[in-house]
Amino acid sequence: MRRRRHEYERHLITDLEPKSPLAEAFRVLRTNIQFAAVDRPIRSLLITSAGPAEGKSTTLANLGVARAQSGARVIVLDADLRRPTQHKLFNLSRGAGVSSVVLGRARVEEALQETGIPGLRLLSSGPIPPNPSELLASQAFSSLLKELKEKTDYLLIDSPPVMAVADASIVAGQVDGVLLVIQLGMVARPMAVRAKEQLLAAKANLLGMVLTNAGMDRDYSYYY
């Protein structure tokens, strides 16, 4: 049976405590995304943030679990090729992943990992490349996205913060929708606005924002 690293275990609340208010908040987010584009179903979704440490990766992982719990086939793609986190959240290997597939060193089916959650698979970042932006802008990465979309009902993509590097903007125009995660009290309004404008300039279909740290609970760091 899969065991998670202790330091990350509490973050996958939708799996560990599916009846908790926190897990319910992610199910509400799942539903809101579905209603955000009735005429054009959201099957591929990029989640990013304005700056670092705002909870984007945790948000993405829990949304992936909530989507899988509804019966969908889900692939979590870690396109944060600078500070990848998804493999830690699911206690899996970073081994072969995005960079491996794009560079032709592994096939998609070889790199996809079962998370232990029915219906949910992970494609980790793989080894961190020296040129993440160039790799994400390549035709090989676009082909990878296309292949993954054909293999699943729902593709969730993690990326670095918008204001830090160009990576999120590069990928944003290739997916059905984008969510911007903002942590309350951490990011100044002008920075959040600039992040939004940068995504729109990249022709992203910005569905909205997820506000983290909006309330506190004795047992958890984040309340979504």
Side-chain angles (χ1 to χ4, degrees), residues 12-45:
L12 278 187
I13 195 66
T14 44
D15 181 35
L16 295 172
E17 297 187 31
K19 295 183 179 180
S20 68
L22 291 174
E24 179 60 26
F26 283 108
R27 287 191 289 270
V28 170
L29 176 60
R30 176 191 69 196
T31 302
N32 288 345
I33 293 170
Q34 291 174 306
F35 281 115
V38 177
D39 295 329
R40 182 188 174 189
I42 302 297
R43 295 189 57 231
S44 57
L45 181 69

Side-chain angles (χ1 to χ4, degrees), residues 180-199:
L180 181 61
V181 173
I182 300 291
Q183 184 177 139
L184 185 65
M186 182 173 181
V187 175
R189 180 181 176 86
M191 183 176 177
V193 171
R194 287 199 300 273
K196 171 190 172 183
E197 291 173 345
Q198 189 163 320
L199 288 169

Side-chain angles (χ1 to χ4, degrees), residues 22-159:
L22 291 174
E24 179 60 26
F26 283 108
R27 287 191 289 270
V28 170
L29 176 60
R30 176 191 69 196
T31 302
N32 288 345
I33 293 170
Q34 291 174 306
F35 281 115
V38 177
D39 295 329
R40 182 188 174 189
I42 302 297
R43 295 189 57 231
S44 57
L45 181 69
L46 175 74
I47 296 184
T48 186
S49 58
E54 294 194 70
K56 67 172 178 61
S57 297
T58 302
T59 298
L60 185 145
N62 279 281
L63 179 60
V65 174
R67 199 71 180 88
Q69 288 172 341
S70 72
R73 296 175 303 157
V74 180
I75 291 177
V76 167
L77 167 63
D78 198 342
D80 188 338
L81 305 183
R82 300 171 190 271
R83 299 184 64 182
T85 303
Q86 294 300 325
H87 67 286
K88 297 178 182 179
L89 291 168
F90 291 101
N91 192 23
L92 294 171
S93 168
R94 186 163 59 87
V98 173
S99 60
S100 311
V101 174
V102 171
L103 294 173
R105 296 170 183 168
R107 293 185 296 108
V108 171
E109 286 301 330
E110 295 172 338
L112 280 171
Q113 301 181 71
E114 298 290 340
T115 63
I117 297 169
L120 179 59
R121 293 187 290 174
L122 169 71
L123 184 61
S124 73
S125 67
I128 296 176
N131 54 345
S133 295
E134 288 83 355
L135 189 147
L136 294 174
S138 68
Q139 183 58 49
F141 180 76
S142 296
S143 298
L144 172 60
L145 287 182
K146 182 179 179 181
E147 182 176 352
L148 291 174
K149 290 174 185 178
E150 294 172 351
K151 290 180 178 293
T152 192
D153 301 319
Y154 203 59
L155 178 62
L156 282 170
I157 305 166
D158 196 354
S159 75

